[in-house]
Amino acid sequence: MTKTKLIAAGVSALALSVASPALAQIKIGASLAVTGPAAFLGDPEAKTLEMLVEEINAQGGINGEEVELVLYDDGADPNKARTFATRLIEEDEVVAVIGGTSTGATMAMVPLFEDYEIPFISLAGAVVIIEPTKEYVFKTPHTDRMACRKIFEDITARGLSKVGLISGTGGFGKSMREQCMSVAEESGVEIVADETYGPNDADMTPQLTNIAGTDGIEAIVNPGFGQGPAVVTRNYDQLGIEVPFYQSHGVASDSFIELAGDAAEGVRLPATPLLIPDQLAEDDPQREPVQSYIAAYEEQYGESPSTFGGYAYDAFHLLVDAIERAGSSDPQAIRDALEETEGHAGVTGVYTFGPDDHLGLDLSSFRMLEIQDGGWVPVEQ
Amino acid sequence: MNPALRTFLILAALVVAGALIFPSSYYYRVGTLVWINTLAVTGIVVLLGYVGLVSLGHAGFFAIGAYATAILPSYGVPSVLAAILGAAGAGLLAAIVGRPILRLSGYYLAIATLGLGMLIWMVLSKEAWLTGGPDGMTVMGANARDLFKLVGLNLRSAESWYWVTGTFAVLGAVLAVNLGNSPWGRALRAIHDSDVAASSLGIDVAKAKSMAFTISAVYAAVAGALLALANGYITPEVGGFMHSVEMVTMAVLGGAASVFGALVGALILTALPQVLTVFADYEHMILGAVMVLTMILMRRGLVPALVDLAKRRRK
């Protein structure tokens, strides 16, 4: 009896030592656009991930295992992204991947993760990433469709319905314009004017004059990215247009207020709580992550974090949370745990995934903000 | 040995050697990209190396091949036919615009081809209903795996694309070498040396240039179609200016005069960035240094310079 016990103990000890090598590690991969045209998105994402990995290892890792981040710079090139995804899976043998700063890079990688059954959290915006739902693919940013819904919700709450669109022709503006058109009717809003401008245009007064001259116009919405929306905002102010003016989440940063100056007063836009860390209610579940993210990022890099870095923050914490709950770093177990995520408060929103919902955000995670005295003020109905 | 046969044997041996030493799909993936780029750059060699014409718009033709392969299947055209139509379309466009554009030379020609490439890129990124716009589109259809399943081989996707693209690169190279050694190829070289002398020998210079332009456009389009199929997703960046520059750079770096130059250029500029990820911060600096040094020390490109060196040693 003692002998068999002894053998059993010996065998299990052996099994243990084989199962958990001295330096247990969890390898997480990332392919981001750290350089190139989308670097202003990818750079804060990469910095955020590096900071978080350092932080979690200082706290003893996940389930006692050290985290290693393998990060590649795909420059938003889908071709490179696909190569790096192959490399992450085959060579680096990561258990999960965060990334795809741009929609193109994400979509080029998606078939690989489906094929190799590795969970993947994208940081890109488009709806096609999670619609139709793909088993191993999740994403953290809001979709532009949700931004349109949020804006229209606010417009109808003010008792208005006739909307004029002025959209940029870049990828962001174009995609959001289409989404706004498609959700207008169900949101109880009518698009009565539809104008566009090029990404480098310096004056949008003709388009705005057209919109302002449209019969019964009650609100103007500007889906766009970069400097275009700032120009539109200045022109709107110069023309003295009275109807309410909405920007998109694409310009939700302090630099927009700097670019547009006083003309930005009264402009409303949907944004993440990252812009209003101090105005969040004490019992707001997002208060804690938002404030700790901002504090840590500012201390590490000496600059304010951006909305895009926030997407990476959420992706990483969703992953850590899933690995902790799964109690294992097996890709299949991580995926399953990820899908069961419920009420995870991140900086972008509160995530609840499900078999048919790999975005996990609802409209309440968007805050409608108004620019007042050069700062952000939440508008709540 | 017949130069075409020699080219065939060397390249085919390289394709097989790659397959023998590659440990994982990742290597096959990089290998696939090398062969696709080799094919596209072989087209540049025909244009730049044989005739001496610079095109900064070849990514446009590349993109036509890629987008034809992506778009046409949604209208019921099988992928392979779509790729062929894309190549034919690119060739036709090159033949039509080639005549007027190729009257220009030097910088003027470079700018005209640049404009052509930009126009194609603009159509791809603006016509979102057709091309998906700046976000790109998914490529449905043929997977090379199915091809190998027909003969009872079950390969991983990356591996099967490696063999398909390798085959195309070898065939493309053999074809280009044969063209170069035909009377027609000699006519092209004569034009390279002097337009006037060539036409006084009875060569129809305009026609020959237009033919070379068309052929190199078809090379680019076929490479584009292969990339679209192998990647399963494309964005307008395949037709972007930087991609045109990249193709010309590969040709010049390797040596624009020969198809081996195309291979070496494609290999270095495709594989080196993968090696350099370890020094991510210095990647661009090292790549830049390699190119500057090559241009200063080996003006005709790596392959001709190394061949010269080998010959001198033998003496």
Side-chain angles (χ1 to χ4, degrees), chain A residues 165-319:
Chain A
L165 283 183
I166 173 163
S167 332
T169 51
F172 182 90
K174 204 168 201 150
S175 164
M176 183 162 166
R177 175 184 162 272
E178 275 163 33
Q179 297 300 334
C180 284
M181 299 290 248
S182 78
V183 299
E185 206 179 296
E186 62 186 83
S187 309
V189 158
E190 191 189 345
I191 309 284
V192 292
D194 178 24
E195 300 279 338
T196 58
Y197 59 86
N200 299 317
D201 289 2
D203 182 70
M204 284 67 143
T205 35
Q207 292 98 319
L208 281 169
T209 313
N210 273 349
I211 294 178
T214 308
D215 270 346
I217 188 90
E218 290 173 329
I220 300 175
V221 180
N222 178 202
F225 205 78
Q227 55 173 347
V231 179
V232 175
T233 307
R234 281 172 181 270
N235 291 160
Y236 162 87
D237 186 53
Q238 286 154 3
L239 288 173
I241 301 173
E242 296 289 331
V243 298
F245 187 47
Y246 288 84
Q247 283 293 344
S248 71
H249 58 309
V251 294
S253 72
D254 292 337
S255 61
F256 171 72
I257 301 183
E258 280 163 33
L259 279 173
D262 290 342
E265 287 297 307
V267 170
R268 287 189 179 186
L269 54 77
T272 70
L274 265 184
L275 289 177
I276 45 164
D278 302 324
Q279 298 171 60
L280 293 171
E282 286 291 342
D283 61 346
D284 193 313
Q286 288 184 261
R287 185 181 163 94
E288 197 278 320
V290 165
Q291 293 193 346
S292 72
Y293 175 46
I294 293 176
Y297 196 92
E298 279 176 350
E299 192 193 311
Q300 184 104 353
Y301 298 111
E303 59 190 31
S304 310
S306 73
T307 315
F308 319 110
Y311 300 148
Y313 180 93
D314 289 343
F316 187 78
H317 278 285
L318 281 165
L319 208 52

Side-chain angles (χ1 to χ4, degrees), chain A residues 35 72 78-80 82-84 86-87 90-91 103-104 107-108 115-116 126 169-171 174-175 178, chain B residues 24-27 29-30 33 125-128 134-135 138 145 156 227 230-231 233 235 274 277 283-284:
Chain A
T35 59
Y72 294 121
N79 209 8
K80 275 194 188 168
R82 193 175 169 100
T83 308
F84 284 133
T86 316
R87 185 170 181 174
E90 291 260 342
E91 293 295 296
T103 302
M107 291 305 287
D115 198 23
Y116 285 87
T169 51
K174 204 168 201 150
S175 164
E178 275 163 33
Chain B
S24 76
S25 288
Y26 161 62
Y27 288 86
R29 161 77 189 165
V30 177
L33 292 178
S125 51
K126 305 281 171 195
E127 300 304 315
D135 281 345
T138 305
R145 266 166 103 169
R156 286 218 92 141
L227 182 77
N231 269 3
Y233 197 85
T235 62
Q274 290 293 326
T277 48
E283 181 189 328
H284 293 102

Side-chain angles (χ1 to χ4, degrees), chain B residues 80-199:
Chain B
V80 176
L81 183 61
I84 294 171
L85 287 174
L92 191 67
L93 179 69
I96 294 171
V97 298
R99 273 296 171 109
I101 281 187
L102 293 166
R103 294 170 65 100
L104 307 168
S105 62
Y107 308 124
Y108 303 101
L109 176 66
I111 298 297
T113 51
L114 174 79
L116 177 66
M118 297 271 255
L119 280 176
I120 295 170
W121 177 82
M122 276 173 79
V123 170
L124 295 177
S125 51
K126 305 281 171 195
E127 300 304 315
W129 59 276
L130 187 66
T131 65
D135 281 345
M137 69 185 294
T138 305
V139 184
M140 297 302 206
N143 190 327
R145 266 166 103 169
D146 304 333
L147 198 71
F148 290 93
K149 277 193 186 136
L150 287 180
V151 290
L153 286 169
N154 194 7
L155 301 180
R156 286 218 92 141
S157 182
E159 214 174 326
S160 52
W161 282 116
Y162 175 82
W163 288 108
V164 170
T165 53
T167 308
F168 270 93
V170 172
L171 291 180
V174 170
L175 204 63
V177 169
N178 264 336
L179 277 174
N181 290 320
S182 67
W184 188 78
R186 285 193 285 275
L188 291 182
R189 294 222 173 105
I191 295 171
H192 193 178
D193 292 336
S194 162
D195 273 20
V196 181
S199 64

Side-chain angles (χ1 to χ4, degrees), chain A residues 71-119:
Chain A
L71 180 105
Y72 294 121
D73 171 16
D74 62 36
D77 175 355
N79 209 8
K80 275 194 188 168
R82 193 175 169 100
T83 308
F84 284 133
T86 316
R87 185 170 181 174
L88 287 169
I89 298 168
E90 291 260 342
E91 293 295 296
D92 304 315
E93 298 178 345
V94 298
V95 297
V97 176
I98 293 172
T101 301
S102 66
T103 302
T106 298
M107 291 305 287
M109 294 192 275
V110 159
L112 287 172
F113 297 116
E114 288 290 292
D115 198 23
Y116 285 87
E117 306 183 341
I118 301 283

